[in-house]
Amino acid sequence: MSAYDKVLAARDAKKLMSVDYISHLFSDSFFECHGDRRFSDDKAVVGGIAMLYDMPITVIGLEKGRNTKERMERNFGSAHPEGYRKALRLMKQAEKFHRPVLCFVDTSGAFCGIGAEERGQGQAIAENLMEMMTLKTPILSILIGEGGSGGALALAVADEVWMLENSVYSVISPEGCASILWKDSSKAAEAAECLKMTAKDLFDLGVIERIVREPKADNQNMFESLKLLISRTFEKNMAVSTEELLNNRYNRYRRIGNYSEISIEENN
Amino acid sequence: MDFFTFIKPKNELESTVDNSKQNNRPFVPDAMWIKCPACNTMLLATDMEENLNVCTKCGHHFKMNARERITLLTDKNSFKEFDKELESKNILDFPNYDKKLADAKLKTGEMESVVTGRALMEGIDVVLCVMNPEFIMGSMGTVTGEKITRAFEYATENNLPVVVCTVSGGARMQEGIMSLMQMAKTSGAVKRHSDAGLLYITVLTDPTTGGVTASFAMEGDIILSEPNALIAFAGPRVIEQTIRQKLPKDFQTAEFVLEKGFIDAVVKREDLKKTIVKLLSLHNYSSKEGE
Ligand SMILES: [Zn+2]
């Protein structure tokens, strides 16, 4: 598959969405929570509490919706500021009860509109980045489809970030990139290659910890192994001290990015 | 032709700056005339420079490069630069990025889109980061994030307040996911500085957009802005294309964002230094000379 094939697969309306993962992994144990307690309930974000075997966890997902009606309701998975604030509220709640946080990421990006700007889209995302960095409970984020820029990152500051084999994660869509670079959005396939946005690319760049096989809806065994993997990761991170957990999380991002110094850095 | 016209909706972190505003800065020989884009008055370049690159007629704030702003804000000869030689690599091997970087370096004489260092403001010791609109539109490359992160870490270690002046078209597409990760990295460093009980003041200048808005620009304890600066997550063009309607005239200006509750004050350039010094004093930071 080419990079652009992966982009198309990640956007495929028939693929599994956050709500599917929640029902396959947690079935009836999931209790959905609503609202940001400040403005409204953004349905592009679905969140609540669930049992992972015998461990209560908080689950938060960006949800695109499975049919036209749902997609309209959920704004195609593009959250407004209140969606990010709802996610943060649930994370803070998880911290209080020392539950791990599991995030599913699937969005083309944070919503671009008048209301979103008026209510501080930039501020909402920035606050999540800051608060997630020091949230005193383990966080695991899994990209299950599209990881569109800051709107995805706002649910992906975590101890580990995993990607499904057919998910993508990028600072800009390949169409947008092609439009700017070559004034031709039909060159999106080329742009997708240049952006290095597939799971393999990101693994090679050291941005993610694991590539996960794509579970099939009719194969519950695949969900069971994913569930086991998630549970082991949380157990591992619940066992370390909060200080170590947060240091590791900080350093995870601190070391990302390559740079060169042409001479010794100046110390005044 | 404005190339941002082609931006597809929802690519919110890539540059969303209105390009027609890009040529505002007066790169002109002495005694040349510049037309103010706000009031259409013809201004003498030398007069404008003396007036801090502010229109003498209507007060329009033209862009300022990083060095000019450092001169504006700091005590004479007090600025000690950090990481001057740190430079970006073409990590993704992105087409034509090497040339773009080389051109930006040549044009600005800078290595990246931010200049960081330690300086005195009326004798008060601060860490200062100033972004540069002339370096690939102040976009956030990996080294931009690295320099800002180092500056915050230095300030945390040395118990110093931080002042960051932002101007940015957003993420740097040519660095892909690495550019995006700088939002998390810088936010982590800001949070540690904040948890240490230290003051962080942001000064938003025209334009501050995309990934910079969605990270350290909006994370200050006190957020100031220059008048009429564009402050946005998604720029006006991207929004117009997404919702297919014209935006109100003052949408996303500093004054609009103030009204919506996201910044503390709009401050004229001539008052910027004394306002920051006042805020530093209100947080018990004082001049070293007084000790
Ligand atoms: Zn004017």
Side-chain angles (χ1 to χ4, degrees):
Chain A
M1 274 171 100
S2 72
Y4 198 60
D5 289 336
K6 299 261 185 196
V7 172
L8 297 178
R11 290 175 184 165
D12 187 351
K14 292 195 291 292
K15 74 169 182 52
L16 300 176
M17 306 284 167
S18 289
V19 292
D20 301 313
Y21 283 92
I22 292 170
S23 66
H24 279 285
L25 294 171
F26 310 114
S27 58
D28 290 343
S29 77
F30 180 66
F31 177 81
E32 187 174 357
C33 300
H34 290 279
D36 67 345
R37 302 292 189 270
R38 279 160 172 71
F39 182 75
S40 73
D41 182 43
D42 188 338
K43 293 177 181 57
V45 175
V46 56
I49 311 159
M51 289 303 285
L52 176 64
Y53 304 116
D54 53 0
M55 182 196 289
I57 68 166
T58 288
V59 189
I60 304 164
L62 284 160
E63 173 59 40
K64 288 184 175 178
R66 284 173 293 197
N67 52 48
T68 310
K69 182 172 167 284
E70 275 183 29
R71 289 191 159 231
M72 299 292 282
E73 268 175 20
R74 299 197 183 274
N75 200 31
F76 300 84
S78 285
H80 283 74
E82 47 273 23
Y84 296 110
R85 291 181 184 127
K86 171 181 177 179
L88 185 58
R89 176 178 81 81
L90 297 179
M91 289 184 221
K92 287 284 182 187
Q93 191 185 69
E95 181 181 53
K96 174 178 173 181
F97 296 105
H98 206 52
R99 297 192 283 262
V101 177
L102 175 62
C103 295
F104 292 112
V105 177
D106 189 14
T107 181
S108 61
F111 189 63
C112 302
I114 293 178
E117 290 290 322
E118 284 178 338
R119 297 193 290 279
Q121 189 69 287
Q123 187 276 337
I125 294 172
E127 188 169 10
N128 278 23
L129 304 185
M130 245 179 131
E131 294 300 327
M132 291 176 82
M133 197 59 88
T134 53
L135 196 82
K136 297 183 186 67
T137 195
I139 310 175
L140 169 63
S141 293
I142 309 178
L143 284 103
I144 58 165
E146 265 187 292
S149 209
L153 183 64
L155 260 74
V157 175
D159 307 306
E160 290 193 23
V161 178
W162 300 352
M163 285 175 76
L164 289 193
E165 53 186 327
N166 291 331
S167 65
V168 291
Y169 192 9
S170 177
V171 74
I172 185 169
S173 75
E175 290 81 4
C177 178
S179 297
I180 294 169
L181 274 192
W182 302 302
K183 318 251 180 293
D184 182 358
S185 62
S186 69
K187 289 188 175 166
E190 276 171 67
E193 297 288 342
C194 295
L195 284 167
K196 308 258 194 309
M197 60 194 291
T198 68
K200 171 149 194 335
D201 291 330
L202 270 74
F203 185 81
D204 292 343
L205 286 165
V207 173
I208 61 164
E209 277 76 16
R210 187 186 285 275
I211 300 174
V212 180
R213 280 184 66 200
E214 205 89 24
K216 293 187 175 50
D218 56 0
N219 189 341
Q220 187 59 26
N221 282 342
M222 294 183 84
F223 288 98
E224 293 305 325
S225 39
L226 178 58
K227 193 169 163 179
L228 198 61
L229 215 55
I230 293 167
S231 149
R232 283 192 186 141
T233 302
F234 281 147
E235 274 168 20
K236 182 183 76 188
N237 284 328
M238 288 294 266
V240 302
S241 71
T242 303
E243 194 190 351
E244 191 184 339
L245 180 76
L246 299 187
N247 274 336
N248 290 344
R249 193 180 301 156
Y250 184 83
N251 289 327
R252 182 185 185 279
Y253 292 89
R254 186 68 192 81
R255 67 170 175 260
I256 288 180
N258 207 338
Y259 53 88
S260 67
E261 278 172 270
I262 57 175
S263 71
I264 304 299
E265 78 169 282
E266 233 188 24
N267 270 327
N268 305 322
Chain B
M1 163 117 247
D2 179 355
F3 77 98
F4 288 101
T5 311
F6 290 88
I7 291 189
K8 225 192 141 240
K10 291 183 187 167
N11 302 312
E12 72 278 9
L13 293 179
E14 183 50 37
S15 312
T16 46
V17 185
D18 181 353
N19 232 25
S20 61
K21 285 185 175 175
Q22 284 294 300
N23 299 323
N24 288 351
R25 223 190 133 259
F27 267 133
V28 285
D30 286 359
M32 283 251 325
W33 294 89
I34 305 152
K35 189 173 165 187
C36 172
C39 69
N40 292 327
T41 306
M42 296 306 286
L43 304 159
L44 201 58
T46 45
D47 286 355
M48 258 255 319
E49 261 165 54
E50 271 172 40
N51 198 39
L52 310 171
N53 289 355
V54 174
C55 172
T56 47
K57 185 88 177 215
C58 75
H60 172 74
H61 285 48
F62 287 76
K63 287 189 179 58
M64 247 185 163
N65 72 29
R67 301 290 161 181
E68 288 170 329
R69 193 171 289 280
I70 289 166
T71 305
L72 171 76
L73 294 179
T74 61
D75 300 352
K76 206 163 186 255
N77 297 326
S78 72
F79 185 72
K80 302 274 188 295
E81 188 168 349
F82 301 156
D83 304 312
K84 207 192 301 195
E85 309 299 337
L86 207 58
E87 64 172 334
S88 289
K89 283 200 285 201
N90 188 357
I91 312 163
L92 304 185
D93 210 10
F94 204 97
N96 300 319
Y97 183 42
D98 289 305
K99 183 172 184 306
K100 200 174 180 72
L101 272 178
D103 289 349
K105 286 176 193 170
L106 195 67
K107 180 178 147 201
T108 60
E110 307 286 357
M111 300 296 269
E112 247 307 337
S113 63
V114 69
V115 178
T116 60
R118 180 173 177 168
L120 298 177
M121 294 180 75
E122 302 298 349
I124 305 173
D125 215 353
V126 299
V127 166
L128 178 65
C129 306
V130 182
M131 299 188 79
N132 197 339
E134 294 164 4
F135 196 103
I136 319 185
M137 296 189 299
S139 60
M140 180 139 78
T142 307
V143 168
T144 313
E146 178 68 23
K147 284 173 86 169
I148 289 168
T149 301
R150 287 186 187 190
F152 271 94
E153 288 177 341
Y154 178 90
T156 307
E157 262 168 51
N158 293 280
N159 284 310
L160 292 170
V162 179
V163 176
V164 176
C165 302
T166 62
V167 51
S168 181
R172 191 173 301 160
M173 187 174 64
Q174 292 86 349
E175 294 194 20
I177 196 76
M178 292 308 194
S179 171
L180 189 70
M181 291 300 127
Q182 303 314 310
M183 292 169 62
K185 185 163 98 180
T186 52
S187 296
V190 172
K191 185 66 161 61
R192 287 191 161 192
H193 181 259
S194 178
D195 288 349
L198 300 165
L199 174 66
Y200 170 29
I201 299 172
T202 356
V203 180
L204 312 179
T205 75
D206 183 56
T208 294
T209 63
V212 167
T213 300
S215 61
F216 58 86
M218 283 292 161
E219 291 168 351
D221 297 297
I222 308 281
I223 306 178
L224 309 176
S225 174
E226 287 197 333
N228 206 38
L230 171 72
I231 300 166
F233 175 61
R237 261 159 220 277
V238 178
I239 295 176
E240 277 179 356
Q241 284 167 32
T242 307
I243 62 173
R244 294 177 199 290
Q245 65 187 76
K246 224 50 201 136
L247 298 171
K249 190 176 155 287
D250 293 327
F251 188 63
Q252 299 179 315
T253 57
E255 292 73 13
F256 174 90
V257 179
L258 176 72
E259 190 58 35
K260 294 296 167 193
F262 289 93
I263 62 175
D264 291 287
V266 175
V267 182
K268 285 187 200 149
R269 193 168 286 167
E270 57 177 322
D271 298 329
L272 208 48
K273 184 174 181 180
K274 68 179 176 207
T275 305
I276 295 169
V277 168
K278 177 180 179 177
L279 287 165
L280 290 165
S281 306
L282 286 169
H283 290 82
N284 293 322
Y285 294 101
S286 56
S287 167
K288 285 207 288 199
E289 283 151 30
E291 282 171 12

